[in-house]
Amino acid sequence: MASLDLGLGEDITSEEVSLEGLAEELERFGADEVVKNALEGGAAASEGAAGRVATLAASLHEAELASIQSYAAEGDNLMELLGQIKECDSVLAGMEEALGGFQSNLGAISTEIRSLQEQSVSLSVKLKNRKAAEAKLGELVEEIALPPELIDEILDAEVGDSYVDALQSLAKKLDFVSGSRKTDPRLAQAAAMDDVRPELEQLRVRAVQRLRDFLLGKFAQLKRPNTNIQILQQMLLKFRYFGNFLRRHGGESYPEVVEFYVSTMSGVLTGNFQTYIDALLALRGERIARGELLGAPEAEARRAAGGGAGGSGAAGDLFGKLTSA
């Protein structure tokens, strides 16, 4: 129970005042003057307190009635306020539901974005790998592919200066295919290699055959009489790559071509030296008559016309002329 202050200057709340032993105390000290005066004054105060309590109760009742009347007057406003509060609660509930939906959607979008990022990284790696594979495959295709133009040149083009480019391309492809067995055994076992090897072998055989026939024909021209060997050899230097190709890729024909060239040049040079020696021997046997030297002294003419010494000198002069020529 709350404390009740009636303006008497003290707290008279019943729960905090104990009356136990009060009668005994009054009988014991009732004759005391101070106690007696206090008891007489307390009776008068009790009558005043009762009046005050009645007044306070009346005031409280009036305040209660005024409050009830005020609440009754504001009832419509309160009902309107209650409706607004309920409406606000409904709006807030809708907003909460919408925000919950947005949050769920944002979570789904975040998950989707994360998935898209992972897919983007995966696609980037795949693209990089495919570009690397494309570069490798492009190099491989370029190395082993046989364009129709190359096939036509090897099989049907005239053997000459333009034939060198076709041979170089063919040699590059032959070296790549044959070298793959050592550099990359897995590549050598690829199906593309198995497909291109027979075609390359046919082109190699045909190119070796055509080069063999061409070079043997050119070397045979060295045997013709009155052939300028130096000019012909200078012309053959333009086709020295033919010999290199035969040495690297025409093992079955290269020794034959070399042997034919060696035997041909040996015969040609042997014939030329034999002719030269026969001419020297013929000059050595000639004699100079007395009247053939104009303005020479008679003793010098006799020395020139007689003995082997003069003949050797004339032959030496002619050898020098021939060699210089």
Side-chain angles (χ1 to χ4, degrees):
M1 183 176 178
S3 298
L4 181 60
D5 188 3
L6 298 180
L8 301 178
E10 44 181 62
D11 189 2
I12 60 173
T13 304
S14 61
E15 290 182 356
E16 298 181 0
V17 177
S18 178
L19 300 178
E20 184 179 356
L22 179 60
E24 296 178 358
E25 295 292 333
L26 289 176
E27 290 179 359
R28 182 178 178 182
F29 299 103
D32 187 90
E33 179 126 8
V34 176
V35 173
K36 185 189 266 190
N37 292 332
L39 289 174
E40 290 177 357
S46 296
E47 293 178 0
R52 292 182 182 180
V53 168
T55 303
L56 179 61
S59 299
L60 289 175
H61 182 67
E62 291 177 359
E64 182 180 3
L65 291 176
S67 176
I68 292 173
Q69 291 176 357
S70 175
Y71 278 117
E74 296 294 332
D76 295 337
N77 295 332
L78 292 175
M79 292 301 296
E80 184 180 358
L81 179 60
L82 179 61
Q84 292 178 356
I85 291 174
K86 290 182 178 180
E87 185 178 356
C88 289
D89 287 342
S90 177
V91 172
L92 291 175
M95 292 180 62
E96 183 179 5
E97 184 179 358
L99 290 175
F102 288 155
Q103 186 176 6
S104 300
N105 292 334
L106 288 175
I109 292 174
S110 177
T111 303
E112 186 175 357
I113 290 175
R114 190 179 299 108
S115 176
L116 291 176
Q117 288 178 344
E118 293 176 355
Q119 293 179 8
S120 175
V121 173
S122 176
L123 290 175
S124 177
V125 173
K126 289 181 180 180
L127 178 61
K128 183 178 180 180
N129 293 337
R130 287 183 180 180
K131 286 184 178 181
E134 182 182 1
K136 293 292 183 182
L137 289 176
E139 295 177 0
L140 175 62
V141 171
E142 184 178 358
E143 292 292 344
I144 66 176
L146 295 174
E149 297 81 5
L150 177 61
I151 297 175
D152 294 338
E153 290 181 2
I154 295 296
L155 297 180
D156 302 325
E158 182 181 359
V159 179
D161 296 340
S162 61
Y163 202 69
V164 175
D165 296 335
L167 282 180
Q168 290 176 344
S169 299
L170 179 60
K172 184 178 180 181
K173 297 181 183 299
L174 289 171
D175 292 338
F176 179 81
V177 173
S178 61
S180 63
R181 299 180 185 274
K182 298 179 180 179
T183 58
D184 194 347
R186 292 182 301 176
L187 178 61
Q189 297 176 0
M193 291 293 190
D194 295 335
D195 293 340
V196 79
R197 281 194 188 96
E199 304 297 331
L200 281 175
E201 180 62 19
Q202 293 180 6
L203 291 177
R204 184 196 68 80
V205 171
R206 179 59 177 167
V208 168
Q209 181 181 0
R210 298 193 68 188
L211 292 180
R212 172 188 172 278
D213 296 340
F214 176 80
L215 292 177
L216 291 181
K218 291 294 183 181
F219 295 161
Q221 294 179 7
L222 297 172
K223 296 181 180 181
R224 295 177 183 177
N226 301 324
T227 299
N228 192 326
I229 298 176
Q230 292 182 350
I231 294 178
L232 185 57
Q233 286 182 333
Q234 289 295 329
M235 183 187 66
L236 288 175
L237 285 176
K238 296 187 301 182
F239 307 111
R240 58 181 176 270
Y241 184 76
F242 294 171
N244 294 334
F245 184 87
L246 288 177
R247 185 178 71 254
R248 294 170 56 189
H249 304 288
E252 67 277 12
S253 299
Y254 181 70
E256 178 186 1
V257 173
V258 172
E259 183 179 358
F260 183 80
Y261 177 77
V262 171
S263 61
T264 300
M265 288 302 300
S266 177
V268 171
L269 294 178
T270 300
N272 290 341
F273 274 104
Q274 187 63 44
T275 302
Y276 182 69
I277 291 173
D278 291 343
L280 289 179
L281 293 176
L283 289 175
R284 185 176 182 180
E286 294 180 359
R287 295 292 184 268
I288 300 176
R290 175 175 298 213
E292 291 181 357
L293 297 177
L294 299 177
E298 185 175 352
E300 292 181 2
R302 284 198 300 269
R303 284 197 303 270
S312 299
D317 293 340
L318 180 61
F319 179 77
K321 292 178 181 180
L322 289 175
T323 54
S324 63

